[in-house]
């Protein structure tokens, strides 16, 4: 992951760039007087005498399940560098241009996809396990304590399990939003599989309200998802334990088919029907704005990702793979990863996402649909099939809660 700014003193040019998966955020402001580049919006606002709200972008908050942003923010003239973009700013004439843009779709490989179709399931499970262990070893901080999120879900539990085998996290952390779900209420069932007890932070409505306000202040906008306050609580806890990094499972749902929306009955295959990256015609028109910009952005992303899987002749499989890729390039970077970056870094904690490593992304995007989701209602492994198969190598079936 990276977000970088490079000044070329010979040519008097600035280059700004952001990683293709979108783990790090990067914003820039430009007018006829100044250029400001920052990993957060807050410092830019402080340096400006006045900012104006972009109501067209604010309206898009009501046109998607979560708050998705592309190249524009809710403030006029403060823009996002989109995932994978490299932009050149020429200080001789104060003109900028986009040099190129990397995309997760670049990892999709027709030959690899069809090769995986012929492979045995156990071979793929074994390869995934190898890749997880290999990448975790490379990600472990050489000096310094770290934590691991252990929510009771498939993704974070697998990461924590393998970390316990190859290293020694200082603490395993979980969030229990009281009364929200049965997984976090039964996190103690997983403790026998780790070297330490799992610290579960109980969060009631008053705690949530407190950290919600703080999350909004950090974002300087409406929060992108309801889980931002929980991430902020985990960040504060990690910092209090004198740890500088934390491992989490972001990306697994989008890349490996973890959302139930990928199993829905598809009636119109010409448009994206994912609940996480489709345009929602909201009845709430706060600013009486026709949001053509936002709907067009979503449509363009969908068409591009659907074209990437054009080599898949089965229209249904192609469609569902395209949904996952679209969620990975829109929802993941704009929501899940932005939350990790802003919330954890607010407490100087670096979030480390295993499933966004190049090896894992490459593996997931070339994994046939049958190893991700099952469309029948006969099997209990309906989503994230290959990850759950790996989970069952180390945990009993009863611990798969969904």
């Amino acid at each position: 992951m990276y977000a970088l700014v490079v000044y070329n003193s010979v040519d008097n040019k600035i280059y700004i760039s952001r990683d293709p998966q979108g783990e790090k955020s990067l914003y820039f402001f430009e007018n006829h007087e100044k250029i400001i580049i920052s990993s957060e919006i807050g410092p830019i606002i402080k340096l400006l005498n006045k900012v104006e709200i972009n109501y067209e972008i604010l309206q898009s908050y009501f046109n998607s399940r979560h708050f998705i942003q592309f190249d524009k923010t809710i403030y006029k003239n403060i823009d996002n560098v989109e995932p994978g973009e490299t932009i050149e700013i020429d200080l001789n004439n104060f003109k900028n241009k986009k040099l190129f843009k990397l995309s997760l779709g670049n990892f999709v490989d027709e030959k690899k996809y069809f090769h995986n179709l012929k492979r045995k399931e156990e071979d793929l499970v074994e390869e995934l396990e190898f890749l997880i262990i290999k990448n975790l070893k490379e990600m472990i901080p050489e000096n310094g304590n770290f934590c691991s999120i252990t929510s009771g879900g498939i993704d974070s539990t697998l990461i924590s399990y393998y970390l316990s085998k190859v290293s020694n996290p200082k603490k395993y952390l979980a969030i229990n939003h009281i009364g929200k779900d049965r997984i976090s209420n039964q996190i103690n069932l997983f403790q026998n599989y780790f070297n330490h007890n799992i610290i579960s932070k109980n969060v009631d409505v008053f705690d949530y309200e407190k950290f919600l306000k703080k999350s909004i202040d950090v974002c300087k906008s409406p929060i992108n998802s309801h889980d931002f306050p929980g991430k902020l609580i985990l960040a504060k806890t990690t910092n209090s334990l004198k740890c500088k990094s934390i491992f989490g499972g972001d990306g697994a749902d989008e890349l490996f088919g973890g959302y139930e929306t990928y199993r829905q009955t598809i009636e119109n295959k010409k448009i994206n029907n994912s609940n996480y990256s489709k345009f929602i015609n909201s009845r709430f028109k706060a600013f009486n704005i026709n949001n053509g910009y936002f709907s067009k952005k979503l449509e363009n992303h969908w068409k591009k990702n659907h074209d990437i899987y054009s080599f898949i002749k089965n229209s249904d499989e192609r469609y569902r793979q395209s949904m996952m890729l679209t969620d990975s390039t829109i929802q993941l970077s704009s929501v899940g990863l932005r939350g990790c970056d802003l919330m954890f870094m607010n407490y100087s904690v670096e979030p480390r996402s295993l499933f966004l490593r190049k090896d894992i992304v490459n593996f997931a995007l070339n994994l046939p649909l049958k190893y991700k989701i099952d469309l029948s209602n006969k099997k209990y492994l309906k989503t994230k099939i290959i990850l759950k198969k790996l989970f069952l190598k180390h945990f009993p079936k009863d611990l798969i809660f969904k």
Side-chain angles (χ1 to χ4, degrees), residues 233-384:
I233 292 170
L234 287 173
K236 182 179 181 181
T237 304
T238 303
N239 179 273
S240 70
L241 294 168
K242 310 297 183 184
C243 292
K244 289 295 184 180
S245 57
I246 187 167
F247 285 77
D250 289 277
D253 285 322
E254 292 87 353
L255 290 166
F256 287 92
Y259 294 131
E260 189 64 25
T261 191
Y262 305 136
R263 298 181 65 251
Q264 65 176 284
T265 300
I266 307 298
E267 297 180 354
N268 184 355
K269 293 183 180 179
K270 293 182 179 180
I271 61 173
N272 177 24
N273 283 286
S274 169
N275 291 335
Y276 298 93
S277 56
K278 69 180 180 181
F279 184 84
I280 298 173
N281 284 305
S282 173
R283 290 178 294 177
F284 184 75
K285 300 291 184 181
F287 313 108
N288 195 28
I289 291 173
N290 180 14
N291 207 332
Y293 158 82
F294 184 63
S295 61
K296 193 65 177 178
K297 278 285 189 179
L298 291 173
E299 181 183 353
N300 289 341
H301 270 266
W302 166 251
K303 287 181 177 179
K304 179 181 178 180
N305 292 324
H306 195 243
D307 286 344
I308 286 173
Y309 280 111
S310 62
F311 59 84
I312 300 177
K313 301 309 177 186
N314 182 305
S315 62
D316 189 74
E317 177 161 356
R318 175 187 175 187
Y319 183 91
R320 296 179 194 278
Q321 292 281 24
S322 302
M323 288 173 72
M324 295 177 205
L325 179 56
T326 302
D327 284 354
S328 298
T329 57
I330 296 179
Q331 135 93 8
L332 178 57
S333 63
S334 191
V335 180
L337 299 183
R338 181 160 290 160
C340 283
D341 185 38
L342 295 179
M343 299 301 106
F344 283 104
M345 291 307 297
N346 185 68
Y347 283 97
S348 301
V349 174
E350 179 196 342
R352 300 197 172 191
S353 303
L354 167 75
F355 293 107
L356 296 171
R357 297 278 287 187
K358 182 178 178 180
D359 288 344
I360 308 293
V361 171
N362 197 326
F363 178 90
L365 293 180
N366 293 294
L367 191 66
L369 191 68
K370 63 182 179 180
Y371 301 117
K372 294 182 178 180
I373 61 173
D374 184 89
L375 298 179
S376 73
N377 290 314
K378 298 177 181 179
K379 299 180 180 179
Y380 69 96
L381 299 182
K382 297 176 182 178
T383 57
K384 282 190 294 198

